[in-house]
């Protein structure tokens, strides 16, 4: 199996977002460096905020693939997509927006999906749902199903700048079990820039590993339980996880990546270095 196949475009470049907080100009320069490097196969689009699009003309002079993050509403996101699509240098490969915080999650999801009617023939839209906890509610599943039926994919947070932003293994496993059971495409964001489950130096945050997530999705596709997935997410033996991923044939890799589309990270260097250390990249 080609390991590149498993990690192809796995990481969206979220350099401008916390905790990296790079300037847009610096992020553009560094992204072009990634795209011309030996690890270009690992890197997806540069993620920018909707209001950053107008500034890209002043800091970018080369063809650039971007994903646009909505910070206001679907109308503002649409305007940013239209503006970027009209540029000769920009290619919009994705857009992302969160369901508004509301006590009635399913109604909020319906409202957002109505506002995204313009996107059905456009770039892939990742719709962020709130963390559901270990007990995934019926309303959360209704929102999930609506996202899938409209042709979009789900976005979930796996970390942040405080310890409480990181879901436990049991919580993430429960969500993955639902997503895999529904065959719903998803991407993750925040706190997932290391290959293997770890305790982050300096913060003691308990962070998930992207190899753990890949292996958990594979296990769930093969009939594993949520409890099995939680154990896989807790695994800290990188060599064991690397051996699991390396054993997959092309069909198994494709099955996993059809569902787990990738994740956003403010660092490309760290996940790439982990793959090299584990013998999964050169």
């Amino acid at each position: 199996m080609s390991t590149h196949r498993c990690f192809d475009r796995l990481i969206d470049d979220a350099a401008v977002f916390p905790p990296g907080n790079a300037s847009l100009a610096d992020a553009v320069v560094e992204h072009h460096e990634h795209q011309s490097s030996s690890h270009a196969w690992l890197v997806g689009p540069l993620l920018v905020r909707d209001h950053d699009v107008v500034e890209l003309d002043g800091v970018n002079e080369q063809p650039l693939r971007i994903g646009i993050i909505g910070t206001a509403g679907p109308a503002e996101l649409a305007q940013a997509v239209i503006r970027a699509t009209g540029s000769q240098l920009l290619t919009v490969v994705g857009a992302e927006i969160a369901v508004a915080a509301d006590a009635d999650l399913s109604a909020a999801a319906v409202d957002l999906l109505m506002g995204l009617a313009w996107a059905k023939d456009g770039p892939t839209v990742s719709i962020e749902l709130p963390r559901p906890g270990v007990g995934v509610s019926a309303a959360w599943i209704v929102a999930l199903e609506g996202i899938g039926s409209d042709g979009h994919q789900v976005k979930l947070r796996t970390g942040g700048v405080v310890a409480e932003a990181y879901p436990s293994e049991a919580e993430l496993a429960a969500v993955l079990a639902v997503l895999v059971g529904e065959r719903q495409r998803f991407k993750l964001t925040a706190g997932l820039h290391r290959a293997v489950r770890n305790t982050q130096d300096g913060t003691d945050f308990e962070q998930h590993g992207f190899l753990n997530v890949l292996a958990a999705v594979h296990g769930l596709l093969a009939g594993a339980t949520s409890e099995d997935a939680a154990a896989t997410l807790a695994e800290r033996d990188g060599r064991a996880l690397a051996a699991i991923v390396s054993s997959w044939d092309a069909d198994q890799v494709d099955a996993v990546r059809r569902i787990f589309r990738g994740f956003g990270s403010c660092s490309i260097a760290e996940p790439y270095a982990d793959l090299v250390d584990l013998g999964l990249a050169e």
Side-chain angles (χ1 to χ4, degrees):
M1 180 203 74
S2 167
T3 52
H4 287 195
R5 187 185 187 98
C6 190
F7 308 115
D8 184 54
R9 308 295 181 197
L10 182 68
I11 307 175
D12 292 346
D13 186 351
V16 302
F17 294 90
N21 297 313
S23 70
L24 185 61
D26 287 345
V28 167
V29 170
E30 291 172 5
H31 186 78
H32 285 308
E33 291 174 352
H34 290 309
Q35 292 294 350
S36 62
S37 73
S38 60
H39 61 266
W41 46 267
L42 181 64
V43 186
L46 177 67
L47 300 181
V48 299
R49 301 176 182 89
D50 44 13
H51 54 75
D52 291 330
V53 171
V54 69
E55 299 179 32
L56 282 173
D57 287 342
V59 297
N60 177 62
E61 299 178 347
Q62 303 177 54
L64 180 66
R65 299 169 70 252
I66 63 171
I68 303 177
I69 312 299
T71 63
E76 291 82 359
L77 180 58
Q79 291 171 3
V81 170
I82 291 169
R83 181 182 180 91
T85 303
S87 168
Q88 293 184 342
L89 293 177
L90 302 178
T91 300
V92 182
V93 299
E96 303 180 16
I97 191 169
V99 173
D102 193 293
D104 189 341
L105 175 60
S106 56
V110 168
D111 287 345
L112 177 59
L113 290 170
M114 290 177 62
L116 289 171
W118 56 267
K120 289 188 177 181
D121 296 320
T124 298
V125 178
S126 300
I127 298 178
E128 183 175 341
L129 288 174
R131 282 172 51 190
V134 175
V136 181
S137 69
W140 200 91
I141 294 176
V142 168
L144 166 73
E145 291 173 343
I147 291 169
S149 64
D150 272 21
H152 306 307
Q153 63 187 32
V154 171
K155 175 181 173 181
L156 296 170
R157 291 195 172 270
T158 47
V161 295
V162 294
E164 294 75 18
Y166 293 81
S168 67
E169 292 98 334
E171 179 180 345
L172 183 55
V175 178
L176 293 179
V178 172
L179 291 166
V180 172
E182 296 282 341
R183 297 302 189 266
Q184 171 62 55
R185 296 174 299 154
F186 71 92
K187 72 167 293 188
L188 302 176
T189 189
L192 199 69
H193 56 282
R194 301 304 301 268
V196 180
R197 178 75 178 182
N198 67 93
T199 303
Q200 186 181 43
D201 292 339
T203 65
D204 289 335
F205 292 167
E206 294 297 321
Q207 296 189 316
H208 293 287
F210 60 86
L211 285 184
N212 299 76
V213 176
L214 287 163
V217 169
H218 176 264
L220 289 165
L221 284 168
T225 66
S226 177
E227 289 75 18
D228 295 330
T232 300
L233 292 173
E235 178 61 65
R236 291 173 183 255
D237 185 340
R239 300 296 170 184
L241 289 168
I244 290 171
V245 173
S246 296
S247 72
W248 299 342
D249 61 27
D251 289 341
Q252 291 172 307
V253 169
D254 290 347
V256 171
R257 289 300 311 278
R258 271 195 296 271
I259 294 178
F260 179 28
R261 302 300 296 155
F263 63 96
S265 173
C266 64
S267 171
I268 301 297
E270 283 183 308
Y272 175 60
D274 281 357
L275 290 176
V276 172
D277 288 345
L278 291 170
L280 294 173
E282 297 178 355

